[in-house]
Amino acid sequence: MTALQTHADQWTRPDQWPLIGALISAALLAGAFGFEVIGRYPPCPLCIEQRWAHAYLLAAGLITFATLHVLKPANALFARAASALIAVLAGFSAWVAGYHAGGEYGFWSLSCQAGDTTSLSVDALLSSLNTPTNVVLCDEPAWTLLGVSMAGYNVLISAVVMLISILVVFRKPYRSV
C-alpha cells in the first residue's frame, strides 16, 4: 500500500471524516472571506447563504468529531451517522451554490433580496441616495477562473465532499488503525 493510499484510507474512516469535511468547509470559508477582504469582491445575499451552509457543516463536523473522540472507543454507528450528516450538509451547500451558479450562467432568474428597509425613514433613505454604493448583483459572477464562478467551484467542491461522505457511510469496516 502506497503512502497516498494509506493517508486516503485513514482520512476516509467514518471516525475521521467529519473533521476532514469541517476542514474543507473552513478552507472554503477562508477563501470566501479572503476574496471579500483582500480581493475586494463584496458578497451578494446568495453568497452569504453559501457561507452559512459551510458554517453549519464546519460546526457539525467539529462537534461530531469531538463527540466521537470523547466516546472512546468510537461508536461505529455514530461515526457513520456523523458522516451521513456531513453528506446532507454538503449536499445542502451544493444545492445553494448550484442555485446561485445556475442564475449566474443564465439557466434561471434569481430573486436576490436586499436587506430589510422597513425601519428606514424617508429622510434617511433620501440622504442615502447621495452616498455612492456598490450594488452587488446575484446574477453576475464577480470572479471566474476558466469560465467557472466562485459559486460554480463551491458546487463542485461541495458535491465531491457529499459523494465522498456517502462512500464513507457505506465503507467496509476500518482497514487501518
Side-chain angles (χ1 to χ4, degrees):
M1 194 181 265
T2 68
L4 181 62
Q5 287 174 323
T6 303
H7 287 301
D9 186 53
Q10 182 178 8
W11 293 337
T12 59
R13 288 178 24 194
D15 64 330
Q16 299 294 321
W17 182 247
L19 177 64
I20 302 299
L23 292 175
I24 293 169
S25 277
L28 289 172
L29 280 171
F33 285 117
F35 269 97
E36 180 180 355
V37 175
I38 298 167
R40 305 239 189 263
Y41 292 104
C44 73
L46 289 176
C47 294
I48 300 295
E49 285 185 35
Q50 291 174 70
R51 292 179 186 184
W52 277 109
H54 285 290
Y56 298 144
L57 200 153
L58 174 61
L62 293 176
I63 290 168
T64 56
F65 178 77
T67 304
L68 280 166
H69 291 281
V70 167
L71 299 174
K72 289 265 182 192
N75 182 335
L77 182 61
F78 183 76
R80 292 179 193 283
S83 296
L85 177 63
I86 298 301
V88 168
L89 292 172
F92 173 70
S93 174
W95 180 79
V96 171
Y99 174 72
H100 189 189
E104 288 177 337
Y105 298 130
F107 297 147
W108 47 76
S109 64
L110 296 175
S111 66
C112 191
Q113 302 297 322
D116 182 22
T117 59
T118 56
S119 63
L120 193 63
S121 70
V122 174
D123 292 333
L125 180 62
L126 289 175
S127 68
S128 71
L129 292 176
N130 294 328
T131 308
T133 41
N134 183 14
V135 177
V136 181
L137 301 175
C138 291
D139 58 354
E140 292 181 12
W143 176 90
T144 61
L145 177 65
L146 302 174
V148 181
S149 68
M150 286 187 271
Y153 282 109
N154 189 5
V155 172
L156 297 172
I157 295 167
S158 295
V160 167
V161 170
M162 180 188 71
L163 292 173
I164 292 172
S165 298
I166 292 168
L167 292 173
V168 168
V169 169
F170 296 106
R171 174 187 161 153
K172 291 185 180 179
Y174 305 149
R175 291 185 293 265
S176 62
V177 178

